[in-house]
Amino acid sequence: MNRIRLLPEHVANQIAAGEVVERPASVVKELVENALDALAARVSVEIQAGGRSLVRGTDDGAGMSRDDALLCLERHATSKIQRAEDLAAIATMGFRGEALPSIASVSRFILTTRERDGHSPEGTQIIVNGGKIAEVKAAGSATGTSVEVRQLFFNLPARRKFLRTEETEAAHIQHYLTLAALAYAEVAFTFVKDGRTIWQLPAVKSGAAVSGRIDALRERFRALLGDEKLLAVNFSASLAEDFKPEAAEMFETAHPENSPTPDAKSQIRIWGLIGAPGASRTTRDSQFVYVNRRPVENRGLNYALIEGYHTSLMKGRYPVCCLFLEIDPAAVDVNIHPAKREVKFHREFEIRKLVGQAVKETLLAFHAEPEKPETNPGAETQKRGEGQTETIGRSVETKPAPEFSSPALPNFPEKLKSLPVVEPPNPVQQTPLRMGFAPAVESAPSMKSAGTSPSAISQLPSSATTPLLNVPLRLVGVIGKLYVLLESDRGLVLLDQHAAHERILFEQMLNRIEQGGSAPSQKLLLPETIELPPRDAQFLREQLAVLGKLGVGLSEFGERTFLLDALPPFVKAADPRRFVFDLVDELRAAGREVNLARLGEHTVAKTVCRHAVKANDPLGGLELENLVEDLRRCAMPYTCPHGRPTLIEMNYRELEKKFGRAQ
């Protein structure tokens, strides 16, 4: 007796449905992907009871003829690939041909479609119950396709009982629709839940230029997720060399007319929006990453984002982003996950490095110094009530950052340390300071409330994108011997003197290391011998030169043994051996592709904390001016090395709301 048998078709479909259809959101995903592949301009999704009782997807795409509509319900029937070689360069959202038959096998399913370019004025309707076709008939229909899925898992009660509450399932559906709507801003999306319209997003014209697509994305992001301080990313690079899987090479040899040009294959473009420093979350829920418009999950890309932000992000916080990677489809494998959520790059190392570089360059541009405006001599003097006038030029000469020297106040001349202390009750004489970095940050809209004084309105900057460190600031006083109070034409600014000084010292010492200098080192009384496993020993051997620059005295003492004879003086390691083990683990966790300067920055940050101005260190007016001016010359002045903000702004609108003068 034969023990191996072919499964009945409906059983095979239900097994496939176990991979394709996890929950109602999976149904929505497959229907929307089919609509987008059909070049729909409008997509509508309606659900009831969290998708348990109804999921209806409607689009105005290409539609299908009667024969195609019947064929699409067969397993592995698709119009998106034709041969095995096509799997090496998938350019569509779907490609397996399993979605519709799998969904139809576990639901009461109605497909209504009409071909856009067909000659028949009527469409086709197919009714399927649990995988069995019940009826096929002609039906009146607009061009496009409508799929109605009722009573999901009605014939699989074991699967149905694992569904979550209606609200949870609806939240999963809304999350996927958010992903799709962000990726296709030129497509109009409608989402209806239990008879109530949740959103109705109009199509946003974008054009072919990246700048136009970024503008469209910003508008769609704002409509879905609200206002955020977002920076535009527009980065492109050439990959080192073309990667051609064997299947792709065979296909190009057989069909040279379909081979992409060399330029197209060697380029990667990264564009989209990332949050400015300060726009972060405690989870990755606000990170949207796409590869060739497909929303993906990839651990390497997550690490690349963190690496790009680095000192602009606090520990335990994650950046907000909506990033698109455009890359040769042959260089990415989208067929490694049953639900196509995860992708694998053929050159993971290089892609991750470029994503981190794109983020870092965007943040550096955020802090880049703009052209200095022409100085108005008449504006350089201001009356201070009935007192004397004080002249401070708004155009500040850029000077190289001073060397890291004194632990107490390395940036300030000795003569400034003897100035009288500014106590909180006595405001410092208001001095206009100009700081010249021009990040493209969206500030709050101009005030229109009746309670705003004409003088306050006239002080608002003419440009809504004028950055905080590029507007005149007036020094008002110090609160609690820590927070420096400044006034701008936009409102109130608070500066954390400790965080600001940390950033200044951090960049000065880091520049010193990068320019060939080295951190101080202190010899151990008794050198330690450290034996490592072969992998760790080889890894550490490659980093000895960089570690020496950081003040860590390590040398080879055998095949897998190292001699530790010095540590930076600020490292208080009770167990030096454990310090080295932790060092290796930290470097490995960051990844080999991470520049070893990252470790340097970590140790430099420790130095900075020891030497920076503390909370109770009193500073005089000129010392505070120097602090602000030194901060202005930093590459990333808005956060300390640990990612905490150095400056906080509260504009006039926020102040008026707190005092009840505006709604």
Side-chain angles (χ1 to χ4, degrees):
M1 178 180 177
N2 294 334
R3 291 180 295 175
I4 299 177
R5 304 179 184 86
L6 287 173
L7 289 173
E9 184 178 353
H10 73 280
V11 176
N13 281 338
Q14 289 184 358
I15 292 174
E19 294 183 349
V20 176
V21 187
E22 299 176 20
R23 59 194 337 149
S26 307
V27 175
V28 172
K29 174 180 180 292
E30 299 295 346
L31 299 185
V32 171
E33 284 185 354
N34 283 339
L36 296 174
D37 285 340
L39 303 180
R42 294 190 303 275
V43 176
S44 175
V45 174
E46 180 182 354
I47 65 169
Q48 291 179 7
R52 292 163 173 260
S53 61
L54 171 68
V55 172
R56 181 185 291 119
T58 307
D59 67 72
D60 63 347
M64 292 179 284
S65 65
R66 180 187 178 92
D67 291 341
D68 282 348
L70 286 167
L71 192 58
C72 79
L73 293 172
E74 300 292 331
R75 289 190 68 200
H76 306 304
T78 180
S79 62
K80 298 165 188 177
I81 62 172
Q82 298 179 5
R83 54 183 69 86
E85 293 82 4
D86 294 345
L87 289 172
I90 295 170
T92 55
M93 300 293 285
F95 54 89
R96 293 174 182 156
E98 291 182 302
L100 291 182
S102 297
I103 295 169
S105 70
V106 293
S107 67
R108 304 192 187 279
F109 181 95
I110 301 176
L111 169 69
T112 307
T113 185
R114 178 182 161 203
E115 200 170 14
R116 180 189 294 165
D117 300 326
H119 302 292
S120 174
E122 62 184 19
T124 302
Q125 187 173 83
I126 303 175
I127 302 174
V128 184
N129 290 324
K132 297 180 180 179
I133 297 180
E135 187 177 3
V136 181
K137 61 182 180 181
S141 171
T143 57
T145 302
S146 174
V147 177
E148 190 175 286
V149 179
R150 292 185 179 273
Q151 294 180 279
L152 186 64
F153 299 135
F154 79 97
N155 53 349
L156 289 176
R159 291 289 304 278
R160 188 175 179 87
K161 74 178 182 180
F162 279 99
L163 295 179
R164 302 300 182 185
T165 64
E166 294 181 7
E167 286 303 317
T168 299
E169 297 298 342
H172 283 284
I173 292 172
Q174 187 164 343
H175 174 69
Y176 171 73
L177 288 175
T178 300
L179 292 172
L182 288 172
Y184 289 84
E186 72 277 12
V187 177
F189 279 85
T190 302
F191 177 40
V192 180
K193 172 186 170 186
D194 296 325
R196 182 169 63 92
T197 300
I198 303 300
W199 69 50
Q200 196 163 9
L201 304 171
V204 183
K205 293 182 180 180
S206 60
V210 175
S211 58
R213 286 187 282 169
I214 292 175
D215 291 341
L217 173 63
R218 190 185 296 274
E219 183 174 338
R220 178 61 61 86
F221 192 100
R222 186 181 295 115
L224 286 168
L225 302 168
D227 285 329
E228 287 278 6
K229 291 184 178 180
L230 298 173
L231 310 178
V233 179
N234 188 356
F235 176 90
S236 61
S238 297
L239 298 177
E241 58 183 11
D242 292 336
F243 180 90
K244 293 185 180 181
E246 184 178 352
E249 289 184 347
M250 293 172 59
F251 176 70
E252 291 178 15
T253 302
H255 305 276
E257 70 281 0
N258 293 332
S259 301
T261 63
D263 289 341
K265 290 182 72 71
S266 62
Q267 289 290 319
I268 177 174
R269 179 173 289 278
I270 303 167
W271 65 275
L273 300 169
I274 63 173
S280 62
R281 298 289 185 272
T282 56
T283 66
R284 289 193 173 96
D285 290 346
S286 294
Q287 290 182 4
F288 307 100
V289 181
Y290 302 81
V291 176
N292 295 337
R293 279 194 167 186
R294 180 189 302 277
V296 300
E297 296 175 6
N298 182 274
R299 185 174 296 179
L301 295 182
N302 292 337
Y303 284 134
L305 283 169
I306 298 296
E307 273 303 308
Y309 272 86
H310 193 46
T311 60
S312 295
L313 205 63
M314 283 191 289
K315 187 176 181 180
R317 305 287 295 186
Y318 298 95
V320 176
C321 75
C322 187
L323 274 185
F324 292 81
L325 278 68
E326 294 178 356
I327 189 174
D328 174 26
V332 56
D333 187 356
V334 300
N335 198 23
I336 64 170
H337 190 278
K340 297 172 287 188
R341 284 196 297 263
E342 297 179 10
V343 297
K344 183 177 181 180
F345 297 101
H346 293 298
R347 297 213 298 266
E348 186 97 17
F349 164 82
E350 192 171 355
I351 299 300
R352 174 174 167 177
K353 181 179 178 181
L354 290 174
V355 171
Q357 183 180 345
V359 172
K360 184 175 181 180
E361 289 187 5
T362 301
L363 292 173
L364 288 174
F366 172 88
H367 302 297
E369 185 175 11
E371 294 182 4
K372 297 179 178 128
E374 294 182 5
T375 304
N376 181 1
E380 294 186 356
T381 59
Q382 290 190 2
K383 291 287 184 181
R384 302 290 183 230
E386 297 180 358
Q388 299 295 320
T389 61
E390 184 176 352
T391 303
I392 292 186
R394 292 192 178 186
S395 183
V396 181
E397 181 183 357
T398 302
K399 299 176 290 186
E403 283 293 324
F404 184 88
S405 54
S406 169
L409 289 170
N411 292 326
F412 309 137
E414 289 295 327
K415 63 180 181 179
L416 295 182
K417 298 180 187 178
S418 61
L419 289 175
V421 175
V422 182
E423 296 293 341
N426 302 320
V428 178
Q429 196 171 20
Q430 295 186 358
T431 304
L433 302 171
R434 178 191 175 274
M435 285 150 279
F437 289 89
V441 182
E442 290 182 285
S443 62
S446 58
M447 295 178 296
K448 297 181 181 179
S449 64
T452 306
S453 65
S455 60
I457 294 177
S458 65
Q459 289 175 348
L460 289 172
S462 58
S463 171
T465 59
T466 304
L468 175 58
L469 287 185
N470 195 36
V471 297
L473 295 175
R474 289 170 291 280
L475 188 58
V476 177
V478 181
I479 302 173
K481 298 183 182 178
L482 172 61
Y483 301 110
V484 182
L485 187 63
L486 304 162
E487 180 190 3
S488 76
D489 292 336
R490 303 195 306 216
L492 176 70
V493 178
L494 284 172
L495 180 144
D496 183 331
Q497 69 180 31
H498 176 67
H501 201 215
E502 274 190 324
R503 166 56 66 177
I504 294 165
L505 298 186
F506 175 78
E507 295 201 6
Q508 289 173 5
M509 191 169 180
L510 196 61
N511 288 337
R512 179 178 173 180
I513 293 175
E514 290 176 350
Q515 291 168 7
S518 59
S521 182
Q522 183 174 336
K523 290 290 184 180
L524 298 180
L525 185 62
L526 295 174
E528 296 269 359
T529 56
I530 300 166
E531 187 173 353
L532 296 173
R535 261 181 92 186
D536 289 347
Q538 177 59 30
F539 179 77
L540 187 60
R541 192 175 292 114
E542 297 170 358
Q543 324 302 340
L544 291 180
V546 177
L547 292 173
K549 278 189 174 184
L550 300 174
V552 180
L554 270 171
S555 57
E556 293 187 68
F557 200 61
E559 186 177 350
R560 295 188 294 111
T561 307
F562 296 83
L563 185 68
L564 176 67
D565 61 1
L567 285 174
F570 49 84
V571 174
K572 304 301 181 185
D575 185 354
R577 291 168 46 96
R578 174 51 52 191
F579 172 79
V580 174
F581 287 135
D582 292 343
L583 204 64
V584 173
D585 291 341
E586 183 179 347
L587 289 174
R588 280 201 173 281
R592 291 179 63 93
E593 65 272 24
V594 178
N595 191 322
L596 261 294
R598 289 293 179 262
L599 175 66
E601 291 167 355
H602 178 72
T603 53
V604 168
K606 289 185 178 179
T607 308
V608 166
C609 285
R610 287 174 54 83
H611 296 305
V613 172
K614 299 298 188 293
N616 292 320
D617 290 344
L619 301 180
L622 291 180
E623 291 174 312
L624 292 173
E625 291 173 23
N626 283 344
L627 181 70
V628 174
E629 289 303 321
D630 285 340
L631 184 66
R632 182 184 70 83
R633 285 189 284 271
C634 289
M636 292 189 176
Y638 294 100
T639 58
C640 77
H642 310 290
R644 292 191 294 268
T646 57
L647 294 150
I648 293 176
E649 181 180 25
M650 184 176 292
N651 58 38
Y652 283 117
R653 169 166 288 191
E654 293 174 280
L655 289 172
E656 289 187 335
K657 284 183 178 179
K658 290 190 177 294
F659 283 102
R661 297 172 62 86
Q663 299 298 322

